[in-house]
Amino acid sequence: MPNPQPPTLLTHDWTLGYPMTPRSVRLARLHTRRRLTMWLWPGDIDDAVLVTSELVANAVRHARLPGHELWLRITELEDRALNIDVSDPVRVFPAIRQEPEGEDGRGLLVVAQLAAELDWFLRADVGKTVRARLAPTSSSTLMKEG
């Protein structure tokens, strides 16, 4: 029988709820930048802030339900990878459009290009969580160095 992989340990974990309003996008960006700077996260903080912004904006735009808020959770894993989780009350995941029309539909495409992984899962109580995992050294940083 193969040995199971040990669970990945968290080195940092931060969560905050936000109202489902456009103002929350700016606040989430500010909080993400501050938190990652305090943690001395070695990845591309600008990429992480952009991913946070796009995921929170999608939740505000597509998952607004009266009486609910969205949740942002940022976790730095033992290998220095970063998970950015945005939870909202809607149980439907928007499709990633390969060829968006006009100005809409580009957010998840940008997130998919910046993240090492993009996934989502239903929550037991209500809604879903969209998770983007960023490497401690992003692909854009590697391209800038190369």
Side-chain angles (χ1 to χ4, degrees):
M1 182 163 98
N3 291 335
Q5 292 291 330
T8 303
L9 299 176
L10 301 178
T11 59
H12 293 103
D13 188 355
W14 178 82
T15 303
L16 189 63
Y18 295 89
M20 295 289 239
T21 65
R23 183 170 182 261
S24 294
V25 178
R26 179 180 177 276
L27 290 172
R29 282 194 307 263
L30 292 170
H31 293 150
T32 298
R33 182 174 303 282
R34 179 173 183 257
R35 195 60 49 181
L36 296 181
T37 301
M38 287 174 33
W39 292 349
L40 301 175
W41 185 62
D44 189 321
I45 292 176
D46 289 333
D47 283 356
V49 169
L50 179 57
V51 166
T52 299
S53 181
E54 293 298 340
L55 293 180
V56 171
N58 275 349
V60 166
R61 183 165 186 190
H62 300 290
R64 189 181 311 185
L65 289 178
H68 291 274
E69 59 186 2
L70 67 91
W71 285 90
L72 170 63
R73 180 179 183 200
I74 302 170
T75 53
E76 183 184 5
L77 308 175
E78 187 176 42
D79 65 359
R80 306 297 308 264
L82 188 74
N83 281 348
I84 300 171
D85 293 349
V86 175
S87 302
D88 65 55
V90 174
R91 296 178 68 90
V92 177
F93 186 65
I96 299 174
R97 296 185 218 149
Q98 293 304 319
E99 298 195 22
E101 297 176 12
E103 295 297 314
D104 292 336
R106 298 177 194 276
L108 284 179
L109 188 58
V110 168
V111 171
Q113 291 172 348
L114 292 175
E117 296 175 35
L118 176 60
D119 200 7
W120 69 285
F121 53 90
L122 296 176
R123 296 172 50 218
D125 50 350
V126 62
K128 69 176 172 303
T129 296
V130 179
R131 172 174 290 163
R133 178 168 292 172
L134 279 70
T137 304
S138 73
S139 59
S140 63
T141 302
L142 293 175
M143 290 190 318
K144 290 175 193 172
E145 294 172 357

